[in-house]
Amino acid sequence: MMTKALTLYELNQMVHETITISMPDEYWVEAEISDIREVRGHCYMELIQKDEYGNTPLARASAKCWKNKWMYISPHFERITGHILRAGMKILVQVYADFHETYGFSWIITDIDPTFTMGDMARKRQDIIRRLQEAGVLELQKELSLPLFTQRIAVISSEQAAGYGDFCNQLAENDYGFQFKLSLFRSIMQGEQIESSIISALNEINRQIDHFDVVVIIRGGGSTSDLSGFDSLLLAENVANFPLPVITGIGHDRDESVLDLVSHIRVKTPTAVATLLIDHLIEVYNRISDAQEELIQMVQRRIEIEKMRLNIISEKVPVLFSFMSNRQNAWFDNLFLRIQNAITNRIRQTEQHLNSLSEMLSPLYEHIRIRENHRLEILQQKIKAQDPMLILNRGYSITTLNGHVIRNAKNLKKGDILCTQMAKGKVTSIVKET
């Protein structure tokens, strides 16, 4: 015999009655928020429990907080903890079971204990600090020092943040006229993307590290509830190991994030960072001014000492000069006598040498003169024997053509005018034929 089937609504109604009867109470439950959103004033959460030694989900559930409760729970939680409820946060939540025939099962939130979350966040924060200490990086940034002239600044901030504008204005309008070169590396400064965004900016700065003296991470205009993103182990490790000093101005007086702990210097606001940088240059300027004044005083003292020494020396100079003058004069007189004697001896030796040469040259000169005269006589006789007039007087003649002596008749042609020179007179003739 077939059993009559239930409708889905009837089945859900049975579940509703069962849950209402068997689970009439409210329960405090520890869980982690995996997703949270507000819709028309109501809050919808996805709760999760993970394996204690890993991230494997062990349980999941949906939870709702109606508007009339949420409008009180949320501000109270933020006021006590200083943080807004967000994904990844552990909470102690009071719920009761609700099953609706149409919308199914859900836990209905009636209260959230902020002290539990504060304790959990504090435990996480202490765990991060402990791990940084064990890795030996918590104080690394403190070992760095600001360069004397810290003026090239890499700024990690949101461009629209009011704090960034205040920071830029304060540096630009400083009373000393110091010049700063700012380079903005845009980053998300609130929400879940703080960690990855700032690390990305640090990596970009590191690629241009020679262009900067310091890194500042500033945030202004947000609420203290947005500071939880700066309690990150990975972000803290990146800042702690960064090779340039990192200055933070991201919180308020009573808030100190893990990022603040590992930074080189932590101040409360972006304007305080600007003041710190200006004060650093003022200190350097004062040190230079003090060193300049000290140097001037040292030079003046040295000049006074040297003046005293010169006065003492000047009193000794006349005596020393007189002694040196007499000594030099005696040396010059002795040198003059030595030079004079040397010149006299040299002249005497030269005269003797010249006399000896003169005695030797006189006979030699006479011998050469006689020999050369004899040669001249012989040459005169040879020249005289070659005189053309002697040849002409013996009956010979000389015939020339245009001043050139004719030795061969074959060189003549008809019509040539010849000149024949004889001992007495000349004859001109014309060649008729050859």
Side-chain angles (χ1 to χ4, degrees), residues 157-191:
S157 179
S158 170
E159 187 175 16
Q160 288 76 30
Y164 173 66
D166 295 339
F167 173 79
C168 294
N169 292 334
Q170 185 150 345
L171 286 182
E173 298 171 2
N174 69 88
D175 295 335
Y176 285 77
F178 296 140
Q179 298 296 313
F180 294 90
K181 181 181 179 182
L182 305 181
S183 299
L184 175 63
F185 294 83
R186 295 172 180 83
S187 174
I188 296 171
M189 303 304 287
Q190 59 183 7

PDB file of all heavy atoms in Angstrom, residues 157-191:
ATOM      1  N   SER A 157      50.599  56.025  -0.859  1.00  0.00           N
ATOM      2  CA  SER A 157      49.343  56.576  -0.337  1.00  0.00           C
ATOM      3  C   SER A 157      48.290  56.516  -1.421  1.00  0.00           C
ATOM      4  O   SER A 157      48.580  56.217  -2.592  1.00  0.00           O
ATOM      5  CB  SER A 157      49.559  58.029   0.111  1.00  0.00           C
ATOM      6  OG  SER A 157      48.352  58.592   0.601  1.00  0.00           O
ATOM      7  N   SER A 158      47.075  56.807  -1.018  1.00  0.00           N
ATOM      8  CA  SER A 158      46.007  56.992  -1.990  1.00  0.00           C
ATOM      9  C   SER A 158      46.041  58.448  -2.464  1.00  0.00           C
ATOM     10  O   SER A 158      46.149  59.372  -1.656  1.00  0.00           O
ATOM     11  CB  SER A 158      44.653  56.682  -1.349  1.00  0.00           C
ATOM     12  OG  SER A 158      43.605  57.084  -2.208  1.00  0.00           O
ATOM     13  N   GLU A 159      45.979  58.633  -3.772  1.00  0.00           N
ATOM     14  CA  GLU A 159      46.088  59.986  -4.325  1.00  0.00           C
ATOM     15  C   GLU A 159      44.929  60.874  -3.865  1.00  0.00           C
ATOM     16  O   GLU A 159      45.084  62.087  -3.706  1.00  0.00           O
ATOM     17  CB  GLU A 159      46.124  59.920  -5.853  1.00  0.00           C
ATOM     18  CG  GLU A 159      46.407  61.262  -6.519  1.00  0.00           C
ATOM     19  CD  GLU A 159      46.563  61.120  -8.019  1.00  0.00           C
ATOM     20  OE1 GLU A 159      46.164  60.077  -8.567  1.00  0.00           O
ATOM     21  OE2 GLU A 159      47.080  62.058  -8.645  1.00  0.00           O
ATOM     22  N   GLN A 160      43.767  60.272  -3.625  1.00  0.00           N
ATOM     23  CA  GLN A 160      42.594  61.064  -3.233  1.00  0.00           C
ATOM     24  C   GLN A 160      42.550  61.324  -1.732  1.00  0.00           C
ATOM     25  O   GLN A 160      41.692  62.094  -1.273  1.00  0.00           O
ATOM     26  CB  GLN A 160      41.305  60.327  -3.645  1.00  0.00           C
ATOM     27  CG  GLN A 160      41.040  60.311  -5.146  1.00  0.00           C
ATOM     28  CD  GLN A 160      41.912  59.316  -5.881  1.00  0.00           C
ATOM     29  OE1 GLN A 160      42.280  58.292  -5.297  1.00  0.00           O
ATOM     30  NE2 GLN A 160      42.265  59.601  -7.121  1.00  0.00           N
ATOM     31  N   ALA A 161      43.431  60.732  -0.963  1.00  0.00           N
ATOM     32  CA  ALA A 161      43.380  60.895   0.490  1.00  0.00           C
ATOM     33  C   ALA A 161      43.686  62.338   0.881  1.00  0.00           C
ATOM     34  O   ALA A 161      44.617  62.951   0.362  1.00  0.00           O
ATOM     35  CB  ALA A 161      44.376  59.947   1.163  1.00  0.00           C
ATOM     36  N   ALA A 162      42.883  62.856   1.814  1.00  0.00           N
ATOM     37  CA  ALA A 162      43.109  64.228   2.287  1.00  0.00           C
ATOM     38  C   ALA A 162      44.478  64.337   2.946  1.00  0.00           C
ATOM     39  O   ALA A 162      45.154  65.366   2.837  1.00  0.00           O
ATOM     40  CB  ALA A 162      42.011  64.617   3.270  1.00  0.00           C
ATOM     41  N   GLY A 163      44.895  63.268   3.620  1.00  0.00           N
ATOM     42  CA  GLY A 163      46.189  63.296   4.300  1.00  0.00           C
ATOM     43  C   GLY A 163      47.344  63.469   3.335  1.00  0.00           C
ATOM     44  O   GLY A 163      48.342  64.122   3.659  1.00  0.00           O
ATOM     45  N   TYR A 164      47.234  62.902   2.124  1.00  0.00           N
ATOM     46  CA  TYR A 164      48.303  63.046   1.125  1.00  0.00           C
ATOM     47  C   TYR A 164      48.425  64.503   0.685  1.00  0.00           C
ATOM     48  O   TYR A 164      49.536  65.033   0.556  1.00  0.00           O
ATOM     49  CB  TYR A 164      48.010  62.145  -0.073  1.00  0.00           C
ATOM     50  CG  TYR A 164      48.968  62.367  -1.223  1.00  0.00           C
ATOM     51  CD1 TYR A 164      50.314  62.052  -1.110  1.00  0.00           C
ATOM     52  CD2 TYR A 164      48.512  62.910  -2.433  1.00  0.00           C
ATOM     53  CE1 TYR A 164      51.188  62.262  -2.167  1.00  0.00           C
ATOM     54  CE2 TYR A 164      49.376  63.121  -3.487  1.00  0.00           C
ATOM     55  CZ  TYR A 164      50.711  62.796  -3.349  1.00  0.00           C
ATOM     56  OH  TYR A 164      51.574  63.024  -4.391  1.00  0.00           O
ATOM     57  N   GLY A 165      47.280  65.156   0.468  1.00  0.00           N
ATOM     58  CA  GLY A 165      47.319  66.575   0.096  1.00  0.00           C
ATOM     59  C   GLY A 165      47.920  67.432   1.191  1.00  0.00           C
ATOM     60  O   GLY A 165      48.724  68.334   0.931  1.00  0.00           O
ATOM     61  N   ASP A 166      47.551  67.161   2.454  1.00  0.00           N
ATOM     62  CA  ASP A 166      48.115  67.918   3.590  1.00  0.00           C
ATOM     63  C   ASP A 166      49.629  67.706   3.672  1.00  0.00           C
ATOM     64  O   ASP A 166      50.381  68.647   3.940  1.00  0.00           O
ATOM     65  CB  ASP A 166      47.457  67.464   4.896  1.00  0.00           C
ATOM     66  CG  ASP A 166      45.970  67.799   4.942  1.00  0.00           C
ATOM     67  OD1 ASP A 166      45.558  68.700   4.185  1.00  0.00           O
ATOM     68  OD2 ASP A 166      45.237  67.157   5.719  1.00  0.00           O
ATOM     69  N   PHE A 167      50.049  66.467   3.457  1.00  0.00           N
ATOM     70  CA  PHE A 167      51.478  66.128   3.493  1.00  0.00           C
ATOM     71  C   PHE A 167      52.252  66.933   2.443  1.00  0.00           C
ATOM     72  O   PHE A 167      53.282  67.557   2.743  1.00  0.00           O
ATOM     73  CB  PHE A 167      51.628  64.627   3.255  1.00  0.00           C
ATOM     74  CG  PHE A 167      53.047  64.159   3.107  1.00  0.00           C
ATOM     75  CD1 PHE A 167      53.860  63.969   4.225  1.00  0.00           C
ATOM     76  CD2 PHE A 167      53.571  63.873   1.856  1.00  0.00           C
ATOM     77  CE1 PHE A 167      55.164  63.525   4.086  1.00  0.00           C
ATOM     78  CE2 PHE A 167      54.864  63.422   1.709  1.00  0.00           C
ATOM     79  CZ  PHE A 167      55.665  63.255   2.830  1.00  0.00           C
ATOM     80  N   CYS A 168      51.745  66.939   1.201  1.00  0.00           N
ATOM     81  CA  CYS A 168      52.418  67.664   0.112  1.00  0.00           C
ATOM     82  C   CYS A 168      52.464  69.162   0.390  1.00  0.00           C
ATOM     83  O   CYS A 168      53.496  69.819   0.187  1.00  0.00           O
ATOM     84  CB  CYS A 168      51.707  67.398  -1.216  1.00  0.00           C
ATOM     85  SG  CYS A 168      51.810  65.673  -1.773  1.00  0.00           S
ATOM     86  N   ASN A 169      51.348  69.722   0.852  1.00  0.00           N
ATOM     87  CA  ASN A 169      51.283  71.161   1.116  1.00  0.00           C
ATOM     88  C   ASN A 169      52.250  71.580   2.217  1.00  0.00           C
ATOM     89  O   ASN A 169      52.926  72.613   2.109  1.00  0.00           O
ATOM     90  CB  ASN A 169      49.851  71.566   1.485  1.00  0.00           C
ATOM     91  CG  ASN A 169      48.899  71.437   0.312  1.00  0.00           C
ATOM     92  OD1 ASN A 169      49.326  71.510  -0.841  1.00  0.00           O
ATOM     93  ND2 ASN A 169      47.625  71.227   0.588  1.00  0.00           N
ATOM     94  N   GLN A 170      52.321  70.781   3.265  1.00  0.00           N
ATOM     95  CA  GLN A 170      53.190  71.149   4.384  1.00  0.00           C
ATOM     96  C   GLN A 170      54.663  71.136   3.970  1.00  0.00           C
ATOM     97  O   GLN A 170      55.440  71.996   4.367  1.00  0.00           O
ATOM     98  CB  GLN A 170      52.967  70.205   5.568  1.00  0.00           C
ATOM     99  CG  GLN A 170      53.760  70.616   6.810  1.00  0.00           C
ATOM    100  CD  GLN A 170      53.051  70.201   8.082  1.00  0.00           C
ATOM    101  OE1 GLN A 170      51.877  69.874   8.061  1.00  0.00           O
ATOM    102  NE2 GLN A 170      53.767  70.224   9.192  1.00  0.00           N
ATOM    103  N   LEU A 171      55.041  70.152   3.159  1.00  0.00           N
ATOM    104  CA  LEU A 171      56.431  70.112   2.683  1.00  0.00           C
ATOM    105  C   LEU A 171      56.726  71.288   1.754  1.00  0.00           C
ATOM    106  O   LEU A 171      57.794  71.887   1.824  1.00  0.00           O
ATOM    107  CB  LEU A 171      56.699  68.789   1.953  1.00  0.00           C
ATOM    108  CG  LEU A 171      56.829  67.527   2.809  1.00  0.00           C
ATOM    109  CD1 LEU A 171      57.134  66.326   1.923  1.00  0.00           C
ATOM    110  CD2 LEU A 171      57.921  67.682   3.867  1.00  0.00           C
ATOM    111  N   ALA A 172      55.775  71.596   0.879  1.00  0.00           N
ATOM    112  CA  ALA A 172      56.004  72.656  -0.112  1.00  0.00           C
ATOM    113  C   ALA A 172      56.055  74.038   0.531  1.00  0.00           C
ATOM    114  O   ALA A 172      56.758  74.938   0.039  1.00  0.00           O
ATOM    115  CB  ALA A 172      54.906  72.615  -1.175  1.00  0.00           C
ATOM    116  N   GLU A 173      55.338  74.225   1.646  1.00  0.00           N
ATOM    117  CA  GLU A 173      55.223  75.556   2.249  1.00  0.00           C
ATOM    118  C   GLU A 173      56.051  75.693   3.524  1.00  0.00           C
ATOM    119  O   GLU A 173      55.740  76.524   4.380  1.00  0.00           O
ATOM    120  CB  GLU A 173      53.754  75.839   2.548  1.00  0.00           C
ATOM    121  CG  GLU A 173      52.869  75.860   1.291  1.00  0.00           C
ATOM    122  CD  GLU A 173      51.390  75.925   1.616  1.00  0.00           C
ATOM    123  OE1 GLU A 173      51.056  75.998   2.812  1.00  0.00           O
ATOM    124  OE2 GLU A 173      50.578  75.877   0.668  1.00  0.00           O
ATOM    125  N   ASN A 174      57.121  74.896   3.650  1.00  0.00           N
ATOM    126  CA  ASN A 174      57.930  74.987   4.869  1.00  0.00           C
ATOM    127  C   ASN A 174      58.632  76.349   4.939  1.00  0.00           C
ATOM    128  O   ASN A 174      58.988  76.940   3.907  1.00  0.00           O
ATOM    129  CB  ASN A 174      58.950  73.845   4.939  1.00  0.00           C
ATOM    130  CG  ASN A 174      60.050  73.968   3.904  1.00  0.00           C
ATOM    131  OD1 ASN A 174      61.082  74.606   4.129  1.00  0.00           O
ATOM    132  ND2 ASN A 174      59.839  73.343   2.743  1.00  0.00           N
ATOM    133  N   ASP A 175      58.840  76.853   6.134  1.00  0.00           N
ATOM    134  CA  ASP A 175      59.367  78.202   6.350  1.00  0.00           C
ATOM    135  C   ASP A 175      60.823  78.360   5.917  1.00  0.00           C
ATOM    136  O   ASP A 175      61.287  79.487   5.708  1.00  0.00           O
ATOM    137  CB  ASP A 175      59.255  78.577   7.844  1.00  0.00           C
ATOM    138  CG  ASP A 175      57.801  78.672   8.293  1.00  0.00           C
ATOM    139  OD1 ASP A 175      56.946  78.927   7.423  1.00  0.00           O
ATOM    140  OD2 ASP A 175      57.529  78.490   9.496  1.00  0.00           O
ATOM    141  N   TYR A 176      61.540  77.278   5.792  1.00  0.00           N
ATOM    142  CA  TYR A 176      62.962  77.360   5.459  1.00  0.00           C
ATOM    143  C   TYR A 176      63.217  77.325   3.954  1.00  0.00           C
ATOM    144  O   TYR A 176      64.339  77.501   3.505  1.00  0.00           O
ATOM    145  CB  TYR A 176      63.729  76.219   6.134  1.00  0.00           C
ATOM    146  CG  TYR A 176      63.923  76.427   7.616  1.00  0.00           C
ATOM    147  CD1 TYR A 176      62.878  76.200   8.511  1.00  0.00           C
ATOM    148  CD2 TYR A 176      65.145  76.851   8.121  1.00  0.00           C
ATOM    149  CE1 TYR A 176      63.041  76.391   9.881  1.00  0.00           C
ATOM    150  CE2 TYR A 176      65.315  77.035   9.487  1.00  0.00           C
ATOM    151  CZ  TYR A 176      64.268  76.795  10.357  1.00  0.00           C
ATOM    152  OH  TYR A 176      64.448  76.984  11.702  1.00  0.00           O
ATOM    153  N   GLY A 177      62.162  77.053   3.175  1.00  0.00           N
ATOM    154  CA  GLY A 177      62.343  76.990   1.724  1.00  0.00           C
ATOM    155  C   GLY A 177      63.049  75.722   1.261  1.00  0.00           C
ATOM    156  O   GLY A 177      63.580  75.670   0.155  1.00  0.00           O
ATOM    157  N   PHE A 178      63.052  74.673   2.111  1.00  0.00           N
ATOM    158  CA  PHE A 178      63.666  73.404   1.702  1.00  0.00           C
ATOM    159  C   PHE A 178      62.890  72.822   0.522  1.00  0.00           C
ATOM    160  O   PHE A 178      61.666  72.894   0.462  1.00  0.00           O
ATOM    161  CB  PHE A 178      63.654  72.398   2.855  1.00  0.00           C
ATOM    162  CG  PHE A 178      64.490  72.814   4.036  1.00  0.00           C
ATOM    163  CD1 PHE A 178      64.046  72.597   5.328  1.00  0.00           C
ATOM    164  CD2 PHE A 178      65.728  73.412   3.850  1.00  0.00           C
ATOM    165  CE1 PHE A 178      64.815  72.960   6.425  1.00  0.00           C
ATOM    166  CE2 PHE A 178      66.504  73.782   4.937  1.00  0.00           C
ATOM    167  CZ  PHE A 178      66.048  73.571   6.224  1.00  0.00           C
ATOM    168  N   GLN A 179      63.622  72.216  -0.402  1.00  0.00           N
ATOM    169  CA  GLN A 179      63.005  71.613  -1.579  1.00  0.00           C
ATOM    170  C   GLN A 179      62.944  70.090  -1.409  1.00  0.00           C
ATOM    171  O   GLN A 179      63.934  69.460  -1.076  1.00  0.00           O
ATOM    172  CB  GLN A 179      63.816  71.950  -2.844  1.00  0.00           C
ATOM    173  CG  GLN A 179      63.897  73.437  -3.145  1.00  0.00           C
ATOM    174  CD  GLN A 179      62.532  74.026  -3.454  1.00  0.00           C
ATOM    175  OE1 GLN A 179      61.772  73.454  -4.253  1.00  0.00           O
ATOM    176  NE2 GLN A 179      62.218  75.164  -2.854  1.00  0.00           N
ATOM    177  N   PHE A 180      61.759  69.535  -1.650  1.00  0.00           N
ATOM    178  CA  PHE A 180      61.572  68.084  -1.578  1.00  0.00           C
ATOM    179  C   PHE A 180      61.073  67.583  -2.936  1.00  0.00           C
ATOM    180  O   PHE A 180      60.266  68.244  -3.592  1.00  0.00           O
ATOM    181  CB  PHE A 180      60.554  67.712  -0.506  1.00  0.00           C
ATOM    182  CG  PHE A 180      60.998  68.027   0.896  1.00  0.00           C
ATOM    183  CD1 PHE A 180      60.715  69.267   1.473  1.00  0.00           C
ATOM    184  CD2 PHE A 180      61.710  67.101   1.635  1.00  0.00           C
ATOM    185  CE1 PHE A 180      61.130  69.568   2.764  1.00  0.00           C
ATOM    186  CE2 PHE A 180      62.129  67.398   2.925  1.00  0.00           C
ATOM    187  CZ  PHE A 180      61.844  68.631   3.493  1.00  0.00           C
ATOM    188  N   LYS A 181      61.573  66.430  -3.337  1.00  0.00           N
ATOM    189  CA  LYS A 181      61.104  65.793  -4.573  1.00  0.00           C
ATOM    190  C   LYS A 181      60.242  64.595  -4.196  1.00  0.00           C
ATOM    191  O   LYS A 181      60.736  63.618  -3.634  1.00  0.00           O
ATOM    192  CB  LYS A 181      62.292  65.347  -5.432  1.00  0.00           C
ATOM    193  CG  LYS A 181      61.870  64.703  -6.741  1.00  0.00           C
ATOM    194  CD  LYS A 181      63.076  64.253  -7.559  1.00  0.00           C
ATOM    195  CE  LYS A 181      62.620  63.583  -8.850  1.00  0.00           C
ATOM    196  NZ  LYS A 181      63.788  63.094  -9.637  1.00  0.00           N
ATOM    197  N   LEU A 182      58.944  64.678  -4.497  1.00  0.00           N
ATOM    198  CA  LEU A 182      57.996  63.631  -4.106  1.00  0.00           C
ATOM    199  C   LEU A 182      57.623  62.771  -5.310  1.00  0.00           C
ATOM    200  O   LEU A 182      57.384  63.289  -6.408  1.00  0.00           O
ATOM    201  CB  LEU A 182      56.723  64.251  -3.525  1.00  0.00           C
ATOM    202  CG  LEU A 182      56.908  65.220  -2.349  1.00  0.00           C
ATOM    203  CD1 LEU A 182      55.555  65.728  -1.877  1.00  0.00           C
ATOM    204  CD2 LEU A 182      57.654  64.553  -1.208  1.00  0.00           C
ATOM    205  N   SER A 183      57.580  61.458  -5.111  1.00  0.00           N
ATOM    206  CA  SER A 183      57.108  60.514  -6.130  1.00  0.00           C
ATOM    207  C   SER A 183      56.022  59.655  -5.488  1.00  0.00           C
ATOM    208  O   SER A 183      56.293  58.949  -4.516  1.00  0.00           O
ATOM    209  CB  SER A 183      58.258  59.638  -6.631  1.00  0.00           C
ATOM    210  OG  SER A 183      59.270  60.424  -7.229  1.00  0.00           O
ATOM    211  N   LEU A 184      54.809  59.751  -6.021  1.00  0.00           N
ATOM    212  CA  LEU A 184      53.681  59.020  -5.446  1.00  0.00           C
ATOM    213  C   LEU A 184      53.578  57.629  -6.065  1.00  0.00           C
ATOM    214  O   LEU A 184      53.588  57.470  -7.291  1.00  0.00           O
ATOM    215  CB  LEU A 184      52.373  59.782  -5.686  1.00  0.00           C
ATOM    216  CG  LEU A 184      51.100  59.060  -5.237  1.00  0.00           C
ATOM    217  CD1 LEU A 184      51.099  58.846  -3.733  1.00  0.00           C
ATOM    218  CD2 LEU A 184      49.863  59.837  -5.683  1.00  0.00           C
ATOM    219  N   PHE A 185      53.469  56.617  -5.199  1.00  0.00           N
ATOM    220  CA  PHE A 185      53.186  55.253  -5.627  1.00  0.00           C
ATOM    221  C   PHE A 185      51.807  54.906  -5.063  1.00  0.00           C
ATOM    222  O   PHE A 185      51.648  54.674  -3.865  1.00  0.00           O
ATOM    223  CB  PHE A 185      54.268  54.296  -5.119  1.00  0.00           C
ATOM    224  CG  PHE A 185      55.612  54.548  -5.744  1.00  0.00           C
ATOM    225  CD1 PHE A 185      56.451  55.539  -5.249  1.00  0.00           C
ATOM    226  CD2 PHE A 185      56.017  53.830  -6.856  1.00  0.00           C
ATOM    227  CE1 PHE A 185      57.673  55.803  -5.827  1.00  0.00           C
ATOM    228  CE2 PHE A 185      57.245  54.080  -7.448  1.00  0.00           C
ATOM    229  CZ  PHE A 185      58.076  55.065  -6.937  1.00  0.00           C
ATOM    230  N   ARG A 186      50.831  54.916  -5.935  1.00  0.00           N
ATOM    231  CA  ARG A 186      49.432  54.793  -5.512  1.00  0.00           C
ATOM    232  C   ARG A 186      49.171  53.419  -4.882  1.00  0.00           C
ATOM    233  O   ARG A 186      49.652  52.394  -5.363  1.00  0.00           O
ATOM    234  CB  ARG A 186      48.499  55.015  -6.693  1.00  0.00           C
ATOM    235  CG  ARG A 186      48.578  56.430  -7.251  1.00  0.00           C
ATOM    236  CD  ARG A 186      47.784  56.558  -8.546  1.00  0.00           C
ATOM    237  NE  ARG A 186      47.859  57.906  -9.080  1.00  0.00           N
ATOM    238  CZ  ARG A 186      48.867  58.348  -9.823  1.00  0.00           C
ATOM    239  NH1 ARG A 186      49.866  57.535 -10.090  1.00  0.00           N
ATOM    240  NH2 ARG A 186      48.887  59.586 -10.272  1.00  0.00           N
ATOM    241  N   SER A 187      48.386  53.448  -3.813  1.00  0.00           N
ATOM    242  CA  SER A 187      48.079  52.214  -3.100  1.00  0.00           C
ATOM    243  C   SER A 187      46.697  52.325  -2.460  1.00  0.00           C
ATOM    244  O   SER A 187      46.234  53.419  -2.146  1.00  0.00           O
ATOM    245  CB  SER A 187      49.141  51.946  -2.019  1.00  0.00           C
ATOM    246  OG  SER A 187      48.788  50.835  -1.229  1.00  0.00           O
ATOM    247  N   ILE A 188      46.061  51.170  -2.291  1.00  0.00           N
ATOM    248  CA  ILE A 188      44.804  51.109  -1.543  1.00  0.00           C
ATOM    249  C   ILE A 188      45.147  51.124  -0.065  1.00  0.00           C
ATOM    250  O   ILE A 188      45.982  50.345   0.400  1.00  0.00           O
ATOM    251  CB  ILE A 188      44.031  49.831  -1.907  1.00  0.00           C
ATOM    252  CG1 ILE A 188      43.630  49.889  -3.393  1.00  0.00           C
ATOM    253  CG2 ILE A 188      42.805  49.665  -1.019  1.00  0.00           C
ATOM    254  CD1 ILE A 188      43.046  48.588  -3.905  1.00  0.00           C
ATOM    255  N   MET A 189      44.533  52.003   0.702  1.00  0.00           N
ATOM    256  CA  MET A 189      44.904  52.207   2.096  1.00  0.00           C
ATOM    257  C   MET A 189      43.801  51.786   3.072  1.00  0.00           C
ATOM    258  O   MET A 189      43.840  52.142   4.247  1.00  0.00           O
ATOM    259  CB  MET A 189      45.293  53.673   2.337  1.00  0.00           C
ATOM    260  CG  MET A 189      46.436  54.168   1.454  1.00  0.00           C
ATOM    261  SD  MET A 189      47.929  53.171   1.580  1.00  0.00           S
ATOM    262  CE  MET A 189      48.515  53.666   3.193  1.00  0.00           C
ATOM    263  N   GLN A 190      42.791  51.053   2.579  1.00  0.00           N
ATOM    264  CA  GLN A 190      41.781  50.511   3.478  1.00  0.00           C
ATOM    265  C   GLN A 190      41.168  49.281   2.821  1.00  0.00           C
ATOM    266  O   GLN A 190      41.192  49.137   1.602  1.00  0.00           O
ATOM    267  CB  GLN A 190      40.701  51.539   3.807  1.00  0.00           C
ATOM    268  CG  GLN A 190      39.953  52.080   2.608  1.00  0.00           C
ATOM    269  CD  GLN A 190      38.947  53.155   2.999  1.00  0.00           C
ATOM    270  OE1 GLN A 190      38.895  53.585   4.145  1.00  0.00           O
ATOM    271  NE2 GLN A 190      38.151  53.588   2.048  1.00  0.00           N
ATOM    272  N   GLY A 191      40.685  48.387   3.648  1.00  0.00           N
ATOM    273  CA  GLY A 191      40.073  47.182   3.114  1.00  0.00           C
ATOM    274  C   GLY A 191      41.049  46.019   3.034  1.00  0.00           C
ATOM    275  O   GLY A 191      42.187  46.073   3.491  1.00  0.00           O
TER     276      GLY A 191
END
